[in-house]
Amino acid sequence: MGGRASGLSEYSNRQWAGLIEGYYMPRWKMYFEYILECHNKGLQIKWADIDTQILDWEWHWVNSTKEKFATKAKGNTLEIAQKLFQTYYLKMLQ
């Protein structure tokens, strides 16, 4: 079982299970707000400080969230993959 500093962060990224909005977006927002604040105030970025803040936030989220996440995929995976490929493949080559 992992602890707060176990190094297991990101070991099981579940982007399509609802974590983007409830987990990843707030975490990235915290990161970018810190960077912008340092920039706007002319302060040096202290990476250890933001890492600690994010680890603390993650640990709190993991131990307090009551959010329910899907355990089964919805839709036809092959059709979705083909649609994404058709939509973005040529754009990625530019």
Side-chain angles (χ1 to χ4, degrees):
M1 183 155 105
R4 181 185 163 281
S6 70
L8 291 178
S9 180
E10 306 301 331
Y11 83 98
S12 184
N13 185 337
R14 302 263 191 307
Q15 292 179 338
W16 304 114
L19 289 176
I20 297 249
E21 181 180 5
Y23 179 77
Y24 289 103
M25 192 166 74
R27 196 176 69 164
W28 277 105
K29 183 179 179 198
M30 184 184 324
Y31 173 81
F32 285 115
E33 284 177 349
Y34 174 78
I35 302 297
L36 286 172
E37 181 181 4
C38 287
H39 174 76
N40 291 337
K41 292 182 177 180
L43 301 172
Q44 182 178 359
I45 295 169
K46 296 180 181 174
W47 297 110
D49 289 353
I50 190 60
D51 287 346
T52 299
Q53 289 176 32
I54 288 174
L55 277 173
D56 289 344
W57 181 87
E58 288 173 344
W59 188 245
H60 178 265
W61 185 89
V62 165
N63 289 288
S64 66
T65 189
K66 304 289 185 233
E67 201 167 344
K68 303 284 185 200
F69 298 99
T71 58
K72 295 187 185 216
K74 293 180 185 176
N76 183 311
T77 306
L78 181 59
E79 286 177 10
I80 294 168
Q82 288 172 332
K83 184 175 180 179
L84 289 169
F85 178 82
Q86 291 167 355
T87 301
Y88 296 107
Y89 177 70
L90 291 177
K91 292 178 182 181
M92 291 188 303
L93 294 177
Q94 297 175 354

